[in-house]
Amino acid sequence: MTGLTADLVVDGRDPRTPALAPNGRLLCHVLTPTSRTGDHLDTELWLVHIDGAVAARRATADTATESRPRWSADSETLFFLSDRADRGTPQLHGLTLADGTMTTVTSWRAGVIDHLPLADSTMVALLAEDEPTEQDERRARDRDDTIVVGEREPRARLRLLDLRTGRVTTPNVFGDRHIVELRQRPDGGPLAVLTWASADNDHGPRTGELHLFDPTTGTAQNLGPVGADAQSLAWWPGEDGWHLGYLALTPPVLQAGTAVFDLAVGSRVLRNRTAGLSMCPTELCQTAAAPFVVFADGLNTTVARLDPTDLATLSHHPGRLDNLTTTPTGETIAVLTGTRYHTPNVHIGPPTGPLRRITNTRPELDGIALGTQQPLAYRAADGLDLDGLLVLPIGKTASEGPFPLVTIVHGGPYDRYADRCQLFWFPSAQWLAAAGYAVLLPNPRGGQGHGHQFAASVAGRVGQQEWTDILTGIDLLIAEGIADPDRLGIAGWSHGGFMSAWAIGQTDRFRAALVGAGVIDWGMLAATGENGQFEAALGGSTGWSGIGPHPHDAVSPISFASHIRTPVLLLHGAEDTNVPLGQAVYLHRALRNFDVEHEFVIYPREGHSIRERNHQIDVLRRTRAWFDRWLQPRPESVVQKPSLPNLS
C-alpha cells in the first residue's frame, strides 16, 4: 500500500461550485487544483450526465481560469467566466449544448466579476467594475497613480447584457454603492440586489442594504438595511405575498452565529427564523417554492426546508455539505460532500436523501492508508457540551497509546471541524497521523455548529473559556492513555494560530508549537487587518479606545511573550491582508528578545492561504519535521529547557 506523500496532498484536484441544469439532466462543476505552479490557477469545467449514460467530459479545452457556471432557464446554454483571452481578466462565455459552440459574450475591459442569466433568455445581469477611462490609462502609463483613499475606489456595479446585440448598459439606480449579490424572483420578476457602501471588508459588510430592481423598467426600490455580513439571498412565495430571505450575523455583536432572516416584502416585517436553534445555517438555496437551508449541526450537517411557519427537517448527513444546488422544483439537489476517509466529491439525490456520488476526482488517494478518525463528545469545565475529532496514528488503535499528541485548533473562530476527511495542505490531522502522531481537533466555544450563543460567547473574551475547552479535551485523552503528557504539541492557522500562540504563553505543557498566520496583537489587527471591526469585536477594544491598557491587551499573545519557553515554528504569507505579516514579525522579535528557540518562515507572494505548490510542500514537510524534532524522541532524551510554573 502506498504511503501518503506531500506531492499526493498538493497535486490533487477538487470539484467546486456544482450547478444543476434546471431540467435536472446535466450538472457542471469546476475542477480546481489544490496548488498552482505559475501566476494563474488553471481550472476546468466538467459536464456530468446525471443518469450516467454518458461519461463526464470537459466543457472546454482551454488553459484558463474558468469559474461560476450558470445555466440558462431552458438548460440549453451554459454560461461561465473564463480568462482564456487575457489571463487575469475574466469574460462571460456561453456554451450552446446543441452544437457545442462556445462564444465569448463580453469584452468588458475591467473583466466580469459575476453573472446571472435572467428568466428573459435575451438578458444576463453582470457584476463588473467600471472600465478604465483614457485618463485612467494615461495615469497608469505615466505612473501618476497616487491613491487617495475614498476616491476612485473600485465598485462592482450592476450591468445588463443584451445577448441579441452584445450591448452592456449600466442602470444608474444604486448610486456609488458596491453590488455584492443578485437573485431573481423565481417567477421571473424583479431582482433582489444586496449592496454595500464600499468594497472595503472592514466597512462594507456592516453597511448592507437590500433593494429590488426591475430589469424591464430599470427602476429600483430600497428595502432598507440588512444584518452584518448578509449573503445567500433567496425568494419564496407566501400567503401574504413574496418573501426574501438571507443569512446574516445575529445582532448586536459582530462575533455571532448566523441566522436566517425572513423579510415579508409587502409588509416589511422581518423575522429571525432560526433563533434559539442549536445549529448554524450556512447556506440558503432558492427553489420555486420553499427554500432549502443547510445547517452546520455539531460534527455533521442537516438539510431543512423553510416552510411558512416552521423548519421542516429533510435529511441528516455525516460530515459537511457545501455548495448546495437544486432544480427549480427542489426535487433534486447536488452538493459537495465526502466521508472520513474520502475527500469531497459531487453527490446528487432527493433533498430527503440518500445522495449518490457522481464524481471521483481524487482516485490517486483510494489506496492510501489513513489514520482512524473518531468523534469525541465531552463536557467543558463549566458543563457545556463540546465535540471534536480524534485521529489516531495510521495502523494504530487507542489501546496502543500513549502517542505524541498534536492539537490543531481551527480558524475563524467561527468555523468548525466536521466529521470529514482531514487532509489538507495546511497542518492537518491525516498528514501528522501518517508520521505517528495522534491528533486532537477540538471544537471549542466560539465556533460554528452549536447555535448563536455558543458562537457569541467569545466576543471580547478570546483565549479564555475556549482555551480551557481545548485543555479539557487534551486532559481527557491523557487520562484515557491515548496522549503522552510529555509529548504534546499545538498548531493552528489564522485564529488557530492565535490559539497556538496564546497557549504557549499560558503554559509550558507543550514541547512544540506551530503558529500559522496567527493573531498576536488584537489591537494591531483591528487597526491593520482587512476585517478590522470584526477583529475588534473579538479582541474587545481598539487602540483608539482611550488610554490603555485596553481589554484587547489582556487577550493578546504578545502580552505573554515573556512567559514563552516552547519552541515555535512561525509560518506566514508575505502578502497576507487578513492577518498582516506584521503580526508574525511582532512575535518573532519578542521570541528573539527572550531567546526562545524558533523558526520564522515567510512565503513570498502568498496571502492568508498558501497557494503555490512549492510553498505548500514546504508547509507540509516543515510542519512534520518541526514536530518530529521536538516530540518524537522519548522524554528522557529531550534536552529540557528552563520552564515557568504552569499558568493554565
XYZ file of all heavy atoms in Angstrom, residues 399-477:
607
model
N -5.815 1.695 22.197
C -5.213 0.895 23.266
C -3.699 0.803 23.151
O -3.027 0.396 24.106
C -5.812 -0.515 23.258
O -5.514 -1.180 22.038
N -3.139 1.168 22.000
C -1.689 1.105 21.804
C -0.978 2.381 22.250
O 0.235 2.498 22.115
C -1.374 0.816 20.335
C -1.859 -0.537 19.853
C -1.595 -0.756 18.376
O -0.433 -1.069 18.028
O -2.542 -0.591 17.581
N -1.735 3.336 22.785
C -1.128 4.569 23.266
C -0.333 4.347 24.540
O -0.241 3.208 25.042
N 0.243 5.410 25.082
C 0.065 6.796 24.661
C 0.943 7.177 23.466
O 2.030 6.635 23.295
C 0.470 7.586 25.900
C 1.487 6.723 26.575
C 1.044 5.309 26.320
N 0.432 8.119 22.678
C 1.124 8.613 21.486
C 1.502 10.087 21.689
O 0.881 10.783 22.496
C 0.208 8.525 20.265
C -0.380 7.176 20.027
C -1.722 6.929 20.308
C 0.388 6.136 19.515
C -2.280 5.687 20.077
C -0.156 4.881 19.285
C -1.493 4.651 19.574
N 2.495 10.553 20.947
C 2.672 12.004 20.905
C 1.403 12.620 20.313
O 0.852 12.118 19.337
C 3.881 12.199 19.994
C 3.965 10.948 19.174
C 3.436 9.852 20.049
N 0.927 13.693 20.923
C -0.345 14.308 20.517
C -0.114 15.730 20.041
O 0.505 16.532 20.741
C -1.332 14.332 21.693
C -2.679 15.022 21.401
C -3.584 14.099 20.597
C -3.373 15.461 22.696
N -0.630 16.041 18.846
C -0.661 17.408 18.358
C -2.117 17.863 18.320
O -2.962 17.197 17.705
C -0.019 17.546 16.970
C -0.137 18.986 16.473
C 1.442 17.113 16.997
N -2.413 18.953 18.972
C -3.739 19.563 18.927
C -3.726 20.646 17.862
O -2.888 21.552 17.897
C -4.106 20.172 20.289
O -4.129 19.132 21.274
C -5.467 20.858 20.236
N -4.630 20.540 16.888
C -4.735 21.547 15.821
C -6.047 22.300 16.021
O -7.129 21.711 15.953
C -4.698 20.907 14.419
C -3.466 20.004 14.245
C -4.710 21.993 13.353
C -3.409 19.298 12.910
N -5.953 23.599 16.266
C -7.128 24.425 16.528
C -7.604 25.037 15.214
O -6.801 25.538 14.425
C -6.792 25.533 17.546
C -8.065 26.286 17.941
C -6.117 24.937 18.778
N -8.917 25.008 14.977
C -9.442 25.536 13.713
C -9.449 27.058 13.713
O -9.295 27.724 14.734
C -10.828 24.980 13.398
C -11.918 25.398 14.341
N -12.340 26.703 14.491
C -12.704 24.664 15.188
C -13.329 26.762 15.357
N -13.561 25.548 15.806
N -9.647 27.628 12.529
C -9.646 29.072 12.355
C -11.012 29.665 12.600
O -11.944 29.020 13.054
N -11.131 30.926 12.265
C -12.416 31.613 12.390
C -12.385 32.768 13.367
O -12.054 33.880 12.998
N -12.789 32.556 14.625
C -13.119 31.278 15.258
C -14.430 30.666 14.791
O -14.755 29.540 15.172
C -13.209 31.635 16.749
C -13.673 33.053 16.753
C -12.988 33.698 15.569
N -15.193 31.422 13.948
C -16.483 30.901 13.523
C -16.299 29.915 12.375
O -16.635 30.181 11.214
C -17.418 32.042 13.121
C -18.865 31.607 13.004
C -19.522 31.054 14.094
C -19.561 31.744 11.818
C -20.839 30.650 13.996
C -20.887 31.349 11.709
C -21.520 30.805 12.796
O -22.831 30.390 12.703
N -15.726 28.788 12.730
C -15.564 27.657 11.824
C -15.784 26.416 12.672
O -16.178 26.520 13.851
C -14.168 27.691 11.188
C -14.065 26.855 9.914
O -15.014 26.098 9.618
O -13.045 26.948 9.224
N -15.536 25.260 12.120
C -15.705 24.043 12.908
C -14.947 22.910 12.255
O -14.595 22.972 11.060
C -17.183 23.650 12.995
C -17.789 23.287 11.641
C -19.124 22.586 11.745
N -19.703 22.343 10.426
C -20.546 21.354 10.140
N -20.918 20.506 11.081
N -21.026 21.201 8.920
N -14.681 21.876 13.026
C -14.249 20.611 12.471
C -15.491 19.748 12.274
O -16.199 19.436 13.233
C -13.273 19.896 13.408
C -11.881 20.470 13.371
C -11.321 21.056 14.490
C -11.126 20.417 12.202
C -10.039 21.587 14.452
C -9.846 20.948 12.153
C -9.310 21.529 13.284
O -8.045 22.050 13.236
N -15.776 19.402 11.028
C -16.836 18.452 10.723
C -16.210 17.070 10.560
O -15.003 16.935 10.343
C -17.572 18.857 9.450
N -17.037 16.054 10.669
C -16.552 14.672 10.603
C -16.309 14.284 9.148
O -16.983 13.441 8.579
C -17.568 13.735 11.251
C -16.984 12.370 11.565
O -15.765 12.186 11.391
O -17.748 11.483 11.980
N -15.319 14.929 8.541
C -14.960 14.691 7.150
C -13.472 14.380 7.064
O -12.764 14.417 8.072
C -15.272 15.919 6.297
C -14.525 17.178 6.722
C -14.662 18.277 5.704
N -13.998 19.511 6.112
C -13.693 20.488 5.280
N -13.990 20.379 3.996
N -13.103 21.579 5.715
N -12.992 14.120 5.878
C -11.593 13.753 5.685
C -10.690 14.941 6.029
O -10.810 16.018 5.438
C -11.352 13.309 4.241
S -9.678 12.702 3.949
N -9.780 14.733 6.948
C -8.920 15.801 7.455
C -7.548 15.728 6.789
O -6.540 15.372 7.405
C -8.801 15.689 8.979
C -10.128 15.794 9.699
C -10.765 17.167 9.560
O -10.065 18.177 9.456
N -12.088 17.219 9.565
N -7.520 16.069 5.507
C -6.279 16.035 4.732
C -6.205 17.294 3.876
O -6.950 17.439 2.908
C -6.228 14.785 3.849
C -4.951 14.600 3.027
C -3.723 14.476 3.929
C -5.066 13.374 2.127
N -5.286 18.207 4.238
C -5.181 19.495 3.568
C -3.709 19.883 3.460
O -2.843 19.262 4.070
C -5.934 20.582 4.342
C -7.322 20.176 4.753
C -7.589 19.760 6.047
C -8.359 20.199 3.843
C -8.862 19.383 6.434
C -9.643 19.822 4.207
C -9.896 19.411 5.509
N -3.444 20.986 2.711
C -2.074 21.455 2.585
C -1.565 22.092 3.876
O -0.372 22.120 4.133
C -1.947 22.482 1.451
C -2.752 23.734 1.683
C -3.994 24.003 1.188
C -2.390 24.858 2.500
N -4.434 25.235 1.634
C -3.466 25.782 2.436
C -1.266 25.195 3.254
C -3.445 26.991 3.108
C -1.257 26.405 3.927
C -2.331 27.283 3.846
N -2.465 22.649 4.672
C -2.057 23.251 5.939
C -1.984 22.163 7.005
O -2.386 21.026 6.756
C -3.011 24.377 6.347
C -4.473 24.013 6.281
C -5.101 23.383 7.337
C -5.227 24.320 5.151
C -6.441 23.056 7.283
C -6.580 24.007 5.082
C -7.179 23.366 6.150
N -1.456 22.462 8.187
C -1.319 21.420 9.208
C -2.624 20.671 9.406
O -3.621 21.241 9.848
C -0.935 22.225 10.462
C -0.252 23.439 9.931
C -0.944 23.768 8.650
N -2.637 19.408 9.059
C -3.873 18.630 9.103
C -3.634 17.282 9.754
O -2.512 16.768 9.791
C -4.457 18.453 7.695
O -3.561 17.772 6.844
N -4.726 16.708 10.253
C -4.629 15.521 11.097
C -4.042 14.325 10.368
O -3.170 13.627 10.896
C -6.011 15.181 11.652
N -4.513 14.042 9.151
C -4.037 12.837 8.467
C -2.571 12.963 8.066
O -1.843 11.968 8.022
C -4.914 12.535 7.250
C -6.321 12.073 7.581
C -6.368 10.730 8.309
O -5.354 10.045 8.452
N -7.549 10.340 8.764
N -2.118 14.167 7.773
C -0.707 14.350 7.430
C 0.176 14.012 8.628
O 1.215 13.373 8.493
C -0.469 15.777 6.952
C 0.970 16.091 6.661
C 1.770 16.980 7.302
C 1.781 15.505 5.634
N 3.025 16.989 6.753
C 3.061 16.101 5.729
C 1.549 14.540 4.657
C 4.103 15.758 4.876
C 2.581 14.193 3.797
C 3.846 14.801 3.917
N -0.242 14.413 9.820
C 0.543 14.101 11.018
C 0.328 12.665 11.477
O 1.250 12.034 12.007
C 0.192 15.082 12.132
C 0.695 16.514 11.901
C 0.158 17.458 12.962
C 2.214 16.555 11.872
N -0.884 12.130 11.272
C -1.132 10.733 11.634
C -0.225 9.798 10.847
O 0.190 8.744 11.344
C -2.599 10.382 11.393
N 0.099 10.186 9.604
C 0.994 9.367 8.780
C 2.413 9.341 9.338
O 3.213 8.481 8.966
C 1.004 9.899 7.345
N 2.734 10.280 10.237
C 4.071 10.327 10.849
C 4.061 9.805 12.281
O 5.050 9.980 13.004
C 4.599 11.762 10.817
N 2.950 9.199 12.697
C 2.926 8.557 14.003
C 2.302 9.366 15.115
O 2.405 8.990 16.287
N 1.616 10.465 14.785
C 1.007 11.306 15.811
C -0.480 11.008 15.964
O -1.177 10.726 14.981
C 1.165 12.787 15.457
C 2.598 13.243 15.414
C 3.298 13.273 14.212
C 3.258 13.613 16.578
C 4.623 13.668 14.163
C 4.589 14.018 16.540
C 5.264 14.039 15.334
O 6.579 14.420 15.295
N -0.949 11.090 17.206
C -2.380 11.235 17.431
C -2.689 12.731 17.334
O -1.861 13.570 17.700
C -2.775 10.705 18.794
N -3.874 13.051 16.819
C -4.221 14.457 16.587
C -5.600 14.738 17.168
O -6.567 14.025 16.883
C -4.195 14.806 15.089
C -4.517 16.277 14.889
C -2.834 14.467 14.479
N -5.657 15.770 17.991
C -6.923 16.243 18.535
C -7.388 17.440 17.727
O -6.636 18.402 17.531
C -6.763 16.636 20.006
C -7.955 17.385 20.639
C -9.198 16.506 20.673
C -7.590 17.885 22.039
N -8.650 17.401 17.267
C -9.276 18.504 16.536
C -10.476 18.971 17.363
O -11.588 18.462 17.222
C -9.723 18.046 15.149
C -8.645 17.410 14.271
C -9.248 16.892 12.978
C -7.528 18.398 13.972
N -10.275 19.936 18.263
C -11.360 20.344 19.161
C -12.260 21.404 18.536
O -11.832 22.193 17.691
C -10.599 20.928 20.359
C -9.346 21.500 19.742
C -9.005 20.607 18.562
N -13.495 21.428 18.972
C -14.445 22.474 18.590
C -14.813 23.282 19.830
O -15.873 23.092 20.431
C -15.704 21.867 17.962
C -15.493 21.442 16.525
O -14.771 22.097 15.778
N -16.108 20.346 16.135
N -13.940 24.202 20.256
C -14.244 24.999 21.447
C -15.327 26.029 21.170
O -15.674 26.298 20.021
C -12.903 25.674 21.757
C -12.245 25.803 20.414
C -12.652 24.568 19.651
N -15.842 26.620 22.223
C -16.880 27.649 22.054
C -16.322 28.802 21.211
O -15.116 29.050 21.186
C -17.402 28.111 23.402
C -16.453 28.904 24.242
C -16.982 29.010 25.665
N -16.797 27.741 26.379
C -17.401 27.434 27.530
N -18.236 28.277 28.090
N -17.177 26.269 28.124
N -17.221 29.476 20.526
C -16.838 30.489 19.551
C -17.004 30.007 18.131
O -17.023 30.804 17.202
N -17.142 28.686 17.948
C -17.207 28.113 16.616
C -18.620 27.921 16.107
O -19.617 28.314 16.729
N -18.707 27.283 14.972
C -19.958 27.076 14.246
C -20.533 25.712 14.579
O -19.804 24.769 14.881
C -19.637 27.160 12.755
C -20.805 27.190 11.812
C -20.331 27.216 10.374
O -19.664 26.299 9.918
N -20.640 28.281 9.661
N -21.853 25.600 14.499
C -22.482 24.293 14.623
C -23.245 24.057 15.903
O -23.861 23.009 16.074
N -23.225 25.047 16.810
C -23.912 24.867 18.098
C -24.787 26.060 18.456
O -25.088 26.268 19.634
C -22.887 24.613 19.206
C -22.125 23.335 19.026
N -22.637 22.102 19.374
C -20.901 23.103 18.496
C -21.748 21.162 19.084
N -20.692 21.736 18.550
N -25.175 26.834 17.477
C -26.087 27.933 17.725
C -25.399 29.251 18.006
O -24.178 29.343 18.145
N -26.224 30.286 18.102
C -25.716 31.655 18.219
C -24.968 31.898 19.531
O -23.871 32.460 19.538
C -26.875 32.635 18.088
C -26.556 34.014 18.555
N -25.577 34.789 17.965
C -27.067 34.761 19.586
C -25.505 35.949 18.594
N -26.383 35.950 19.571
N -25.531 31.506 20.657
C -24.908 31.822 21.947
C -23.538 31.165 22.073
O -22.605 31.753 22.627
C -25.830 31.383 23.097
C -27.102 32.214 23.220
C -26.817 33.691 23.419
O -25.833 34.072 24.045
N -27.687 34.549 22.888
N -23.409 29.952 21.572
C -22.124 29.242 21.599
C -21.076 30.048 20.848
O -19.935 30.193 21.301
C -22.307 27.866 20.964
C -21.101 26.964 21.044
C -20.938 26.105 22.122
C -20.160 26.950 20.038
C -19.842 25.247 22.198
C -19.056 26.105 20.098
C -18.900 25.256 21.182
N -21.465 30.599 19.699
C -20.526 31.367 18.883
C -20.218 32.721 19.505
O -19.069 33.181 19.501
C -21.087 31.552 17.475
N -21.233 33.381 20.054
C -21.067 34.749 20.550
C -20.330 34.815 21.875
O -19.866 35.887 22.275
C -22.435 35.413 20.689
N -20.181 33.698 22.557
C -19.650 33.717 23.923
C -18.195 34.137 24.010
O -17.704 34.437 25.098
C -19.818 32.327 24.565
O -19.075 31.351 23.854
N -17.461 34.173 22.886
C -16.049 34.551 22.943
C -15.819 36.015 22.601
O -14.676 36.481 22.658
C -15.189 33.671 22.004
C -15.317 32.207 22.368
C -15.550 33.905 20.545
N -16.850 36.760 22.246
C -16.666 38.160 21.863
C -16.037 38.934 23.013
O -16.587 39.009 24.115
C -18.008 38.783 21.474
N -14.864 39.497 22.761
C -14.132 40.210 23.791
C -13.470 39.319 24.811
O -12.832 39.809 25.755
N -13.587 37.999 24.615
C -13.059 37.040 25.598
C -12.283 35.907 24.927
O -12.225 34.796 25.430
C -14.209 36.446 26.416
C -14.951 37.458 27.276
C -16.129 36.820 28.003
N -15.800 35.519 28.562
C -15.111 35.335 29.686
N -14.691 36.373 30.360
N -14.865 34.139 30.148
N -11.705 36.198 23.776
C -10.930 35.157 23.099
C -9.812 34.664 24.016
O -9.245 35.426 24.812
C -10.337 35.674 21.773
C -11.411 35.805 20.722
C -9.617 37.008 21.974
N -9.510 33.373 23.911
C -8.438 32.799 24.705
C -8.821 32.477 26.133
O -7.984 32.005 26.906
N -10.076 32.710 26.508
C -10.489 32.441 27.883
C -11.130 31.051 27.965
O -10.440 30.058 28.042
C -11.433 33.548 28.358
C -10.847 34.954 28.201
C -9.543 35.138 28.942
O -9.487 35.002 30.164
N -8.467 35.438 28.218
N -12.453 30.989 27.916
C -13.100 29.681 28.032
C -12.805 28.779 26.836
O -12.774 27.557 26.987
C -14.610 29.864 28.204
C -14.990 30.398 29.576
C -16.468 30.688 29.674
O -17.017 31.495 28.925
N -17.134 30.036 30.611
N -12.578 29.355 25.651
C -12.233 28.497 24.514
C -10.908 27.787 24.772
O -10.684 26.662 24.306
C -12.203 29.270 23.201
C -11.193 30.388 23.130
C -11.141 31.052 21.762
O -11.316 30.377 20.740
O -10.908 32.279 21.727
N -10.001 28.427 25.505
C -8.721 27.810 25.841
C -8.918 26.664 26.835
O -8.359 25.571 26.662
C -7.785 28.877 26.391
C -6.578 28.399 27.143
C -6.178 28.799 28.378
C -5.604 27.454 26.702
N -5.031 28.159 28.745
C -4.651 27.319 27.723
C -5.445 26.689 25.548
C -3.551 26.471 27.642
C -4.355 25.836 25.447
C -3.432 25.733 26.483
N -9.736 26.877 27.869
C -9.972 25.787 28.813
C -10.770 24.661 28.170
O -10.608 23.492 28.549
C -10.684 26.298 30.078
O -11.924 26.912 29.721
C -9.818 27.321 30.802
N -11.621 24.985 27.181
C -12.300 23.926 26.420
C -11.288 23.012 25.750
O -11.443 21.779 25.728
C -13.211 24.530 25.349
C -14.419 25.249 25.916
O -14.683 25.122 27.129
O -15.092 25.949 25.139
N -10.248 23.620 25.168
C -9.214 22.835 24.477
C -8.415 22.007 25.473
O -8.135 20.818 25.251
C -8.308 23.774 23.669
C -9.103 24.405 22.523
C -7.084 23.045 23.124
C -8.412 25.559 21.840
N -8.049 22.622 26.591
C -7.299 21.890 27.615
C -8.085 20.689 28.138
O -7.509 19.635 28.407
C -6.969 22.825 28.779
C -5.707 23.675 28.670
C -5.531 24.480 29.943
C -4.484 22.808 28.410
N -9.389 20.860 28.286
C -10.220 19.762 28.764
C -10.133 18.565 27.823
O -10.046 17.410 28.271
C -11.682 20.216 28.904
O -11.749 21.282 29.849
C -12.574 19.076 29.366
N -10.149 18.825 26.516
C -10.026 17.736 25.552
C -8.676 17.051 25.630
O -8.578 15.816 25.538
N -7.605 17.839 25.788
C -6.264 17.253 25.907
C -6.179 16.391 27.160
O -5.682 15.250 27.119
C -5.208 18.374 25.935
C -5.179 19.107 24.590
C -3.825 17.810 26.274
C -4.325 20.363 24.588
N -6.664 16.901 28.278
C -6.600 16.144 29.534
C -7.416 14.860 29.455
O -7.041 13.837 30.057
C -7.090 17.015 30.686
C -6.110 18.127 31.023
O -4.921 17.991 30.680
O -6.541 19.139 31.624
N -8.521 14.892 28.730
C -9.324 13.686 28.546
C -8.516 12.605 27.844
O -8.521 11.431 28.253
C -10.578 14.017 27.741
C -11.437 12.836 27.279
C -12.069 12.148 28.472
C -12.507 13.293 26.295
N -7.793 12.987 26.783
C -7.011 11.995 26.037
C -5.818 11.501 26.843
O -5.399 10.345 26.697
C -6.554 12.603 24.709
C -7.678 12.997 23.744
C -7.095 13.544 22.438
C -8.586 11.808 23.458
